[in-house]
Amino acid sequence: MSLARNPWSGAGLLIASIALANILFLVAADLFTERHNPYLGIFAYLVVPAFLVFGLFLFFLGILLERRRRHRHAPDVIARYPRLDFNHPRTRTIFGIGVVAAFVFLVATLLGSYQAYHYTDSDQFCGTTCHSVMHPEYTAYQQSPHARVGCVQCHIGSGATWYVKSKLSGAYQVYAMVAKKYPKPIPTPVANLRPAQETCEQCHWPAKFWGAQMKVFNHFGYDEANTPRETRMLILTGGGSPTLGRAAGIHWHMNIGNEVTYIATDAQRQKIPWVRMRDRRTGRVTEYAAKDVPLTQVQLSTLPRRVMDCVDCHNRPTHIYVPPDRSVDEQLVAGTIDRTLPYIKQKSVEVLTASYATTDEALAAIAKNLDAYYRTDHAEVYASKKAALARSIAAVQTTYRATVFPEMKVDWRTHPDNRGHFYYSGCFRCHDNQHVSKDGKVISKACDLCHNVLSQKEGTTLMVQAPDAGFVHPVDLGDLSEVTCSECHTGSGM
């Protein structure tokens, strides 16, 4: 091994030895610690192994360069290439050690590569490697209905093709993070996302979308008593069978009996001036154009068309940024915010919707402003319910941390949720009584297409108790047929 006595091989051996020792330590730490640090996996299976391979490369490169150097000075003594003569015991010993070492290295490389592959598909890698960039998405994901579904199951799915595509895309994303060339907020919807039929529908089987579900909506007033309002609705989810091609209810749109294609004029697909519906059984096609913003023939021929699928309505199935109005309602229902504190709904929404430069600044301001309000305007309540106020302030701070991210400029306003139509346009992007076909058909805005009101209650007063009575607004607004909820309900008040 005299050929290894050169600076290149020495440096390579040193780097490889340190890397190997670190790999053994990090792998042991990863195996035997209960709480897994995301950076531990990155270093154990990605970064440090790269140094090991680099060190071994330098080691063998040094041997090659040293042999060439000696061959040039003494070609009769040092052959250009090594001679393998298995008649010599030393040659057999070195060769055997080399084979065993190569086998061990190959097995370790395979296991390490598999672990690296497995780790790069983990939720921790997706959500915490680029901590500041993906912090809003990962935080929202952990509190979503899909918190136990792996990131890759939706973003990549099964199969090698999409895995390779995701890693190629991820390479640029790593560069963008290091070079700080990423936008704030990260734009949605995700470009070139795998079709929902290949991801969502692996769990949510379209053939099993049937019937209707009752849902209870709880809201609280902005008055002193935080008056509770309860609305019970029968959501006409419906469904259909791809075999029979029949569809009903909301899932009429699910490309079962009908194919819906649309054109959106904005990146977030909130403005839809043109819709085409094709009946799969008869082949009949009907096109609807918005009366207020009709498209020109050039636009119709050049703008991209999209076939509607799950994520056009369920566009925030996981990364949900809940508006303050609803998040405070949820905390009041859960009891984490004390309903007996006067005006707590109003004040909580006020501090949640205020503008802050950082999360730390927001948390400090929320505590300071709520405490000051009750200490000044409701001194008796402040004195008698200090513990309840402290718990409520903590709950409001928790809500802020989970839904608003000023560092990345992310909140409920930057990521509209199309499931429904209370705070965002949602269903009313098409169902607005404004999309009309050439033969006079209108995409209806009628409420009973999707849900029936079973009952409404404000405080202890029952306002509605009949399936066909329709929705009664708590405040008399007159004719609601031409008004959309989101015109008033912005998520930050009302």
Side-chain angles (χ1 to χ4, degrees):
M1 293 296 291
S2 63
L3 292 175
R5 294 172 185 169
N6 64 81
W8 289 99
S9 296
L13 185 61
L14 179 63
I15 293 172
S17 300
I18 294 173
L20 180 61
N22 277 277
I23 289 172
L24 294 175
F25 171 76
L26 292 171
V27 170
D30 189 39
L31 291 175
F32 297 109
T33 54
E34 293 184 3
R35 296 186 65 182
H36 296 283
N37 187 306
Y39 299 104
L40 187 94
I42 294 172
F43 280 96
Y45 303 114
L46 296 175
V47 177
V48 182
F51 279 97
L52 174 62
V53 172
F54 178 67
L56 292 174
F57 171 76
L58 283 182
F59 177 77
F60 289 108
L61 177 64
I63 291 176
L64 177 63
L65 294 176
E66 180 65 14
R67 172 176 283 280
R68 288 185 176 182
R69 186 186 71 79
R70 294 187 186 184
H71 174 72
R72 285 197 302 269
H73 289 83
D76 296 333
V77 178
I78 302 295
R80 185 175 182 85
Y81 299 103
R83 296 188 180 94
L84 293 178
D85 188 350
F86 290 103
N87 293 307
H88 296 290
R90 185 170 179 272
T91 302
R92 292 198 300 271
T93 302
I94 293 174
F95 182 79
I97 293 173
V99 169
V100 171
F103 177 77
V104 171
F105 182 75
L106 178 62
V107 171
T109 301
L110 291 173
L111 292 175
S113 298
Y114 172 76
Q115 186 63 26
Y117 156 77
H118 179 71
Y119 181 71
T120 57
D121 273 1
S122 68
D123 300 336
Q124 284 186 323
F125 180 82
C126 296
T128 59
T129 303
C130 308
H131 181 73
S132 60
V133 181
M134 298 307 296
H135 177 58
E137 284 77 11
Y138 190 56
T139 301
Y141 159 73
Q142 290 177 303
Q143 301 177 73
S144 75
H146 290 91
R148 292 190 176 184
V149 179
C151 302
V152 296
Q153 290 180 253
C154 294
H155 284 272
I156 301 175
S158 60
T161 302
W162 282 92
Y163 175 80
V164 172
K165 286 182 179 180
S166 71
K167 297 312 171 189
L168 291 175
S169 173
Y172 175 78
Q173 291 167 7
V174 170
Y175 160 74
M177 184 198 70
V178 173
K180 297 188 181 300
K181 291 189 175 183
Y182 52 86
K184 296 182 181 181
I186 301 298
T188 58
V190 178
N192 301 318
L193 189 66
R194 191 167 187 173
Q197 288 83 356
E198 299 176 20
T199 52
C200 308
E201 292 185 12
Q202 301 307 301
C203 296
H204 302 279
W205 193 5
K208 301 303 178 184
F209 293 154
W210 294 101
Q213 289 77 40
M214 191 190 79
K215 186 169 183 179
V216 179
F217 295 88
N218 290 286
H219 297 286
F220 292 81
Y222 284 76
D223 56 342
E224 183 175 1
N226 309 298
T227 303
R229 296 167 180 162
E230 179 189 276
T231 303
R232 293 175 180 263
M233 283 187 179
L234 193 65
I235 308 298
L236 307 178
T237 308
S241 167
T243 303
L244 300 176
R246 292 183 299 183
I250 298 169
H251 285 134
W252 174 94
H253 302 82
M254 279 302 299
N255 294 322
I256 298 171
N258 312 284
E259 180 185 86
V260 180
T261 305
Y262 68 88
I263 292 175
T265 55
D266 67 314
Q268 288 192 313
R269 303 170 187 163
Q270 297 301 297
K271 299 175 182 178
I272 301 177
W274 180 88
V275 180
R276 181 182 68 195
M277 196 281 283
R278 181 173 70 88
D279 190 317
R280 288 181 178 272
R281 291 171 295 173
T282 65
R284 182 176 180 181
V285 174
T286 307
E287 295 183 0
Y288 300 87
K291 293 188 294 184
D292 50 348
V293 282
L295 296 179
T296 65
Q297 287 300 317
V298 174
Q299 289 175 311
L300 281 172
S301 60
T302 57
L303 288 174
R305 302 184 181 192
R306 174 177 169 81
V307 176
M308 189 175 184
D309 66 11
C310 307
V311 296
D312 287 294
C313 291
H314 299 274
N315 66 319
R316 308 232 61 80
T318 299
H319 307 294
I320 306 168
Y321 304 103
V322 183
D325 180 65
R326 195 178 95 201
S327 60
V328 174
D329 283 340
E330 291 172 353
Q331 296 277 26
L332 287 166
V333 171
T336 49
I337 295 179
D338 194 326
R339 276 180 50 192
T340 63
L341 295 171
Y343 294 108
I344 188 63
K345 168 72 182 286
Q346 180 187 118
K347 294 302 172 182
S348 296
V349 173
E350 279 183 11
V351 294
L352 286 171
T353 55
S355 178
Y356 308 102
T358 66
T359 299
D360 290 340
E361 177 189 322
L363 299 180
I366 288 170
K368 178 183 177 181
N369 294 338
L370 287 177
D371 184 86
Y373 171 73
Y374 285 98
R375 185 175 65 250
T376 304
D377 292 24
H378 299 276
E380 292 183 5
V381 173
Y382 184 81
S384 61
K385 295 189 175 184
K386 276 190 175 182
L389 177 60
R391 288 194 302 272
S392 299
I393 290 174
V396 176
Q397 290 175 317
T398 299
T399 295
Y400 187 90
R401 278 194 294 263
T403 58
V404 184
F405 307 88
E407 292 83 357
M408 283 300 295
K409 300 180 181 178
V410 170
D411 61 24
W412 75 99
R413 290 164 292 201
T414 59
H415 292 76
D417 189 344
N418 294 332
R419 188 187 59 168
H421 51 72
F422 194 67
Y423 300 110
Y424 311 100
S425 298
C427 310
F428 292 151
R429 292 175 300 160
C430 301
H431 290 268
D432 58 357
N433 288 341
Q434 296 297 313
H435 287 70
V436 184
S437 68
K438 291 181 179 179
D439 57 357
K441 291 183 179 179
V442 176
I443 301 181
S444 176
K445 190 183 178 184
C447 298
D448 57 7
L449 289 175
C450 297
H451 50 68
N452 290 328
V453 177
L454 301 179
S455 67
Q456 282 181 255
K457 187 167 63 173
E458 182 168 358
T460 58
T461 304
L462 192 64
M463 299 168 62
V464 173
Q465 191 176 16
D468 57 350
F471 177 74
V472 177
H473 198 280
V475 178
D476 185 9
L477 298 178
D479 183 12
L480 298 177
S481 61
E482 299 303 322
V483 180
T484 59
C485 306
S486 58
E487 290 180 30
C488 298
H489 297 276
T490 61
S492 56
M494 295 297 291

